[in-house]
């Protein structure tokens, strides 16, 4: 404790007045992080203890924006598990983007009553256009850097989906599609690859989106997972030389619509027996048996199964360890859920740039969250067979 007091005293003596508060904040944050990490590890830094629970693993740098200015932090890392300081807000950028969108709507006079109330609750009644422009410019620059970055290496798996939000265009309120693409690379890491905004999920829109991804370097795609929208299917066949997986969850919704309320549980259990098979051949055989059993009583459902067989069971030809993550767009559902939660606060966006700002910030933070996870989404050993890289794809030695 004496050494710490001496460090603080020397800091106060040497630092200029303008920097004193910022340096003190940094000093206090460092001590707080050390106390928190000490509690997680069971020992202080450098201490040898039989009661130690986990080892440290260096530091990662992070910039902390405070009212006193920018404070550079070194956040301790752990070999097992993760640590994030309790005094930091993990979703700060997304919150700033939401604030910027609300402020922009408020200034332009297009906010709804709920947004107006939220602005007042946040104490933002005196916001100027120049302040909003500076905040928006800062966020837009960071979002563009991620969404327009070059895509390096191969991406065997790609999930794409769309959600809808409302925006003002030429004095009217219209609904636009926000599409998001997530991929897994040959390192087994998951990343957000891109997003775009369009009037609908028509084929030209999807085609332009996939072409943009290809120009940025998207290659090596083996499987694309999406719903059965005709525009997506046509764009995939035109741009990507890849297998298409029809989302199993979306298919089951369509299938159960033909079963009637009383027969849904039985039909769901029947179809699930095909998904429970160990290989593609067995799955297709069971799929046909189920379709034939349903044909006399539910001919429309049987016809749907005949048509969708290859697309719904496409994931069965890929490594068994990946199938739970490949059969549907569920890996995107959490991302889309967060997008919906944040965009519903705004209600009606003032323009498309505001949509890109908020949704892009959410995707940027999701990307960062995946990047710091210690475990890969798919292991190197299991993803090697689907890689185009001959080095990665070499068989493992005995």
């Amino acid at each position: 404790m004496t050494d710490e007091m001496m460090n603080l005293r020397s800091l106060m003596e040497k630092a200029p007045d303008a920097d004193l508060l910022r340096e003190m904040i940094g000093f206090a944050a460092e001590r707080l992080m050390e106390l928190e990490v000490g509690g997680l590890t069971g020992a202080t830094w450098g201490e040898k203890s039989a009661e130690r629970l986990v080892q440290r693993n260096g530091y990662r740098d992070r910039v902390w924006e405070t009212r006193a200015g920018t404070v550079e932090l070194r956040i301790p890392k752990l070999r097992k598990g993760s640590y994030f300081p309790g005094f930091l807000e993990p979703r700060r950028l997304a919150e700033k983007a939401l604030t910027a969108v609300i402020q922009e709507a408020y200034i332009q006079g297009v906010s709804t009553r709920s947004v107006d109330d939220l602005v007042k609750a946040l104490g933002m009644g005196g916001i100027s256009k120049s302040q909003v422009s500076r905040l928006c410019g800062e966020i837009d620059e960071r979002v563009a850097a991620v969404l327009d970055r070059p895509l390096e290496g191969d991406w065997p798996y790609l999930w794409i989906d769309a959600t809808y939000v409302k925006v003002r265009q030429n004095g009217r309120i219209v609904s636009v599609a926000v599409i998001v693409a997530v991929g897994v690379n040959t390192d087994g890491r998951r990343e957000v690859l891109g997003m775009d905004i369009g009037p609908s999920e028509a084929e030209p829109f999807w085609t332009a989106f996939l072409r943009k991804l290809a120009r940025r370097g998207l290659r090596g795609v083996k499987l694309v997972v999406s719903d059965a929208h005709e525009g997506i299917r046509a764009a995939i066949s035109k741009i990507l030389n890849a297998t298409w997986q029809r989302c199993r969850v979306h298919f089951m919704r369509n299938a159960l619509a033909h079963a009637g309320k009383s027969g849904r549980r039985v039909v769901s259990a029947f179809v699930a027996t095909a998904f429970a098979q160990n290989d593609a051949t067995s799955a297709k055989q069971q799929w046909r048996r189920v379709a034939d059993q349903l044909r006399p009583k539910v001919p429309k459902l049987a016809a749907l199964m005949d048509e969708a067989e290859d697309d719904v069971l496409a994931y069965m030809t890929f490594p068994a360890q990946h199938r739970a993550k490949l059969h549907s767009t569920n890996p995107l559902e959490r991302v889309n859920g967060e997008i919906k939660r944040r965009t519903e606060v705004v209600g009606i966006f003032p323009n498309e740039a505001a949509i890109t700002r908020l949704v892009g910030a959410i995707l940027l933070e999701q990307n960062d969250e995946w990047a710091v996870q210690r475990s890969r989404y798919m292991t190197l050993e299991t993803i090697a067979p689907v890689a185009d890289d001959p080095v990665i794809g070499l068989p493992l030695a005995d």
Side-chain angles (χ1 to χ4, degrees), residues 37 59 94 139 166 188 249 252 281 313 355 378 384:
V37 171
Y59 296 85
I139 297 169
K166 293 182 179 180
V249 175
M252 288 303 298
T281 301
L313 297 178
I355 300 175
M378 296 175 180

Side-chain angles (χ1 to χ4, degrees), residues 148-180:
D148 296 333
R149 74 191 187 281
L151 302 177
E152 300 178 350
D154 289 352
W155 300 85
Y157 299 131
L158 181 69
W159 293 261
I160 51 179
D161 200 7
T163 188
Y164 284 82
V165 299
K166 293 182 179 180
V167 64
R168 292 182 184 268
Q169 289 183 353
N170 301 322
R172 297 184 302 115
I173 299 174
V174 299
S175 183
V176 294
V178 178
I179 58 176
V180 176

Side-chain angles (χ1 to χ4, degrees), residues 1-7 31:
M1 181 63 69
T2 303
D3 291 340
E4 293 171 7
M5 291 301 298
M6 290 177 63
N7 290 337
R31 293 301 307 140

Side-chain angles (χ1 to χ4, degrees), residues 262-281:
S262 59
R264 290 176 182 173
R265 182 173 298 179
V266 175
V267 168
S268 179
F270 270 20
V271 176
T273 60
F275 301 142
Q277 303 304 308
N278 294 325
D279 56 76
T281 301

Side-chain angles (χ1 to χ4, degrees), residues 12-29:
M12 296 178 67
E13 291 173 353
K14 295 179 180 179
D17 292 342
D19 298 333
L20 177 60
L21 182 56
R22 184 169 62 252
E23 297 291 344
M24 291 181 66
I25 291 174
F27 179 84

Side-chain angles (χ1 to χ4, degrees), residues 99-100 102-103 106 118-127:
T99 301
I102 292 172
Q103 290 173 344
Y106 186 69
L118 182 57
V119 168
K120 293 176 181 177
L122 294 175
M124 297 189 295
I127 297 296

Side-chain angles (χ1 to χ4, degrees), residues 156-357:
Y157 299 131
L158 181 69
W159 293 261
I160 51 179
D161 200 7
T163 188
Y164 284 82
V165 299
K166 293 182 179 180
V167 64
R168 292 182 184 268
Q169 289 183 353
N170 301 322
R172 297 184 302 115
I173 299 174
V174 299
S175 183
V176 294
V178 178
I179 58 176
V180 176
V182 168
V184 168
N185 59 22
T186 49
D187 285 335
R189 298 289 184 182
R190 181 170 41 161
E191 293 186 22
V192 174
L193 301 186
M195 68 154 286
D196 208 345
I197 303 168
S200 68
E201 293 185 75
E203 178 186 345
F205 178 41
W206 281 110
T207 300
F209 177 64
L210 294 179
R211 279 179 176 159
K212 182 179 179 181
L213 292 180
R215 286 194 298 269
R216 288 171 49 208
L218 179 67
R219 59 183 173 85
V221 180
K222 297 293 191 301
L223 183 71
V224 182
V225 187
S226 74
D227 60 26
H229 195 284
E230 290 296 329
I232 300 179
R233 295 184 60 182
I236 292 171
S237 62
K238 185 182 298 184
I239 305 300
L240 301 175
N241 183 25
T243 302
W244 174 60
Q245 167 64 40
R246 180 173 181 174
C247 176
R248 204 171 81 181
V249 175
H250 286 82
F251 169 79
M252 288 303 298
R253 291 173 188 164
N254 297 335
L256 295 180
H258 296 291
K261 190 173 182 179
S262 59
R264 290 176 182 173
R265 182 173 298 179
V266 175
V267 168
S268 179
F270 270 20
V271 176
T273 60
F275 301 142
Q277 303 304 308
N278 294 325
D279 56 76
T281 301
S282 301
K284 289 188 175 184
Q285 291 173 351
Q286 181 62 17
W287 185 273
R288 295 189 192 106
R289 282 194 288 268
V290 171
D292 290 340
Q293 289 176 338
L294 295 173
R295 205 176 306 278
K297 292 187 177 180
V298 199
K300 289 185 178 180
L301 175 55
L304 177 63
M305 291 185 66
D306 293 339
E307 175 191 352
E309 177 183 333
D310 291 335
D311 299 327
V312 176
L313 297 178
Y315 74 101
M316 293 294 294
T317 61
F318 289 83
Q321 299 91 333
H322 300 171
R323 292 173 190 168
K325 298 170 180 175
L326 298 180
H327 63 66
S328 72
T329 56
N330 281 350
L332 259 176
E333 291 302 314
R334 181 173 175 271
V335 178
N336 279 339
E338 185 66 12
I339 291 172
K340 274 292 185 186
R341 185 176 75 85
R342 300 298 183 94
T343 56
E344 284 175 357
V345 174
V346 180
I348 302 169
F349 284 82
N351 49 50
E352 289 189 2
I355 300 175
T356 302
R357 186 172 303 124

Side-chain angles (χ1 to χ4, degrees), residues 66-127:
T66 71
R67 291 187 179 182
T70 300
V71 177
E72 296 182 358
L73 300 178
R74 297 179 71 237
I75 301 176
K77 296 193 298 184
L78 306 178
R79 291 192 181 277
K80 292 183 180 180
S82 61
Y83 166 69
F84 191 85
F87 58 85
L88 291 183
E89 172 56 56
R91 291 198 170 272
R92 181 172 174 80
L93 182 63
E95 296 297 344
K96 288 172 67 176
L98 177 59
T99 301
V101 170
I102 292 172
Q103 290 173 344
E104 187 174 7
Y106 186 69
I107 286 175
Q108 294 186 18
V110 297
S111 59
T112 60
R113 178 176 296 179
S114 60
V115 171
D116 189 43
D117 293 340
L118 182 57
V119 168
K120 293 176 181 177
L122 294 175
M124 297 189 295
I127 297 296

